[in-house]
Amino acid sequence: MAQFEGFVADTTLMAPAARPPARNRTWLSAYFGTPGNAVITIVCLGTIFGLAKLAIGWLFADAIFAGTPAECKASSGACWPFLSAKLRYIFFGFYPFDEQWRPLTAMLMFLGACGVSMVPRTWGRALAVVWIVVILPTLYTLMAGGVFGLTPVPTTQWGGLPLSFMLSFVGLACALPLGIALALARASSLPAIRVLGVGFIEIVRGVPLISILFMATVMLPLFMPDGITIDKLLRAQVAIILFAAAYIAEIVRGGLQAVPKGQIEAGHSLGLHYWQIMRKIVLPQALKKVIPPLVGLFIGFFQDTTLVTIVGLLDFLDTVRTAMRDPQWQGIAVLEGYVFAAVVYFFFSALMGAYSRFLEQYFRTTHD
Amino acid sequence: MSLFYDARIRAFLYQTIAIGAVVFVAWMMFSTASANLAKQDIATGFGFLARQAGFVITETAIAYEPTDTFGRAILVGIANTVKVSALAVFFGTILGVLVGIGRLSHNPVLSRLMLAYVEALRNVPLLLYLLLWYSLIISVFPPVKQAIEMLPGVFLSNSGLVMPAMRWASGLEALLIALVVGTVAAVVVSRILARRRIATGKEMPVATIAAFAILLPFAIILLFADISVSLDVPELGRFRLTGGYHVRPEFVALLIGLTLSASANIAEIVRAGIQAVSKGQWEAATALGLPRSRTLKLVILPQALRIIVPPLTNTYLTVFKNSSLAIAIGYPDLVMVSNTIMNQTGQAIEAIAIFMAVYLGLSILISLMMNWYNARVALRER
């Protein structure tokens, strides 16, 4: 016992006399802690300051807020009268001027419905039925007209932001079932089905979207029997659907692979056949896993719909471009339109990006 | 009916139906297409490739004249596509790695600035950026008549940058061969030296020896071969610049757009890769006394590389495919050249088939190369 006491005393003596000096970490040290760090901070602040000065100068200080094209030409800043004069064209394209409340209503309704559908608690069969039976037909009726005393408007006059929304939303909605089917085909145990699935997916993913759009707009009419012509808008839409389906298939495949094999075997031992196993056991688990990456993919497709402007459809980017080519404003407003379009695209993409991160968080905390 | 309950027979049946449907649709499309083409009097087949093209291509990575064939024009388009995507991948990777590391900096100003950079690039369509850069170049720089002469012989205007070019009368091939030989020699020498260092522990000045290996063939060629080169200095005429090497605004806008969009994607991949390396690696390196920059270079990045390479491959493929947006701003890439050919010959099917096949082939080639690289950096399991 005495020995033990001595041992304890010894260790007390060997303990350090003082704690190491506490590092004086203030908020400043994060910015100017070391010389290298200080240089980084100063360079970054300088960059931010320079960019802000340029932006404020162009956007506000030197900008013209009301005036004629001639006044804009004299100034070096932005020309905001261009936007106010062209805003309705930029948003709605060649849609008949007096009827433009219709695409506006349709767009607001669509965005409102999307906003409600983004809440995970509303998800279910009822929501899908409401979309298919109520919302989409109403939107189409509003846009196309022809009934209830609405003037018919052919799709060639559709344009602007509603068209961009339509191409990306309908594109993804139709591509989703096709993509799931392709993913199942790729995971199939039947060699011929698997080869067809892999072939389609890899070919579409190996070529740029623009080539598929070209195929749909230039080549497809050659493949159609006499007398059958398909609307140009529909052709571009089909191209986008096929393109999106291949990418969705790859994402869904990741989800399918994440479902343990025991789930399928359990299904077999219950005597369920293939489709029952897929529909009731595998797909619900797989799809839940891939919802966040699917939203991420959707951001990409929303941006990719701008490519239809190359094959001559009047999407949002195209109305911006053609507005700038208006003889009255040509050479005067060269950047304003693009900056405005960039802000619009940024707003919707960033919103969806935030939603994707929210979903990731939501699924991490609420499901297994 | 009982046959239908046999799994093998059902499998055979399903597959026959699937293949039959595909073949039937393909045959339908083929027969209607050939009927339509015959009616519209459009020639079919790839015979047009040997005919004279007759159109001008503003930017040619390989020699081309309007008197050359359509086939040659397509080759020029391929070369232009490869040129711009290779450069964009190169610059985009460097920029992206730097931005990705900056995103993880402990300095809040730097990391926020890099976040803003990535978000600004990822949330706006690439096509919009291309058009924006292009019209920015066109509107900011003066017209050719008032071209700025930055250095003697270097002119900057809204039709691009024109600078003196070297015109090789002879000796260029010899120098290129010397470059290849020198590079190969340098690689071989540094490998041998590395193996010796591992075996014996003897340090050698590897960098100096490698530089010497690269420069020696050059020096030999310069001393002994017959080299004649003249400088072609551009001259400002009344309406345009003549002579010299011309960097066009279409090319610059496309290169900037592709590089920036690639760099934003690569930055996110690099950041995720670095974050995936376990924290213990950082702590172990710190315990060994390595400073942060060397820890990153020697410990973290080599491990992060394994996670980074597969998504990086996808980004490279995306850059390559996105270079097809060139058509929107008028850079003569493969798609734009094919489009011109399509309009001239009317042979849409063949032209589209060619460029799709080229994209598909090159995509597969890039994936194979990156898979090979990935297998090299992958963790060697025991």
Side-chain angles (χ1 to χ4, degrees), chain A residues 257-342:
Chain A
Q257 283 173 345
V259 176
K261 219 178 166 195
Q263 299 282 326
I264 300 173
E265 290 163 357
H268 278 304
S269 67
L270 285 177
L272 301 179
H273 61 71
Y274 178 80
W275 288 112
Q276 283 172 323
I277 294 173
M278 286 302 150
R279 207 162 59 82
K280 292 188 190 299
I281 300 174
V282 176
L283 279 180
Q285 298 181 61
L287 290 182
K288 205 178 274 174
K289 286 197 174 72
V290 298
I291 288 174
L294 276 182
V295 177
L297 189 74
F298 186 65
I299 301 174
F301 282 115
F302 177 58
Q303 298 182 3
D304 277 347
T305 52
T306 51
L307 264 65
V308 297
T309 163
I310 294 176
V311 292
L313 283 179
L314 281 165
D315 81 320
F316 185 55
L317 182 58
D318 199 73
T319 53
V320 168
R321 287 172 78 195
T322 42
M324 289 192 294
R325 266 190 244 123
D326 184 324
Q328 208 187 344
W329 298 96
Q330 196 168 28
I332 295 167
V334 279
L335 301 175
E336 288 80 351
Y338 291 141
V339 172
F340 176 69

Side-chain angles (χ1 to χ4, degrees), chain B residues 125-148:
Chain B
L126 173 59
L127 183 59
L128 180 49
Y129 268 128
L130 289 182
L131 296 170
L132 186 62
W133 301 140
Y134 187 57
S135 45
L136 205 60
I137 292 174
I138 297 287
S139 64
V140 164
F141 295 116
V144 181
K145 266 193 278 184
Q146 294 129 27
I148 312 166

Side-chain angles (χ1 to χ4, degrees), chain A residues 65-119:
Chain A
F65 288 95
T68 59
E71 285 172 48
C72 277
K73 207 178 174 78
S75 151
S76 63
C79 173
W80 298 124
F82 162 75
L83 270 190
S84 53
K86 283 284 169 187
L87 198 61
R88 282 182 72 166
Y89 174 76
I90 287 177
F91 270 122
F92 303 118
F94 287 117
Y95 207 89
F97 197 78
D98 296 328
E99 303 284 335
Q100 282 178 0
W101 61 271
R102 282 159 53 185
L104 182 66
T105 321
M107 208 163 69
L108 292 178
M109 198 176 137
F110 170 75
L111 290 177
C114 281
V116 172
S117 315
M118 275 160 89
V119 181

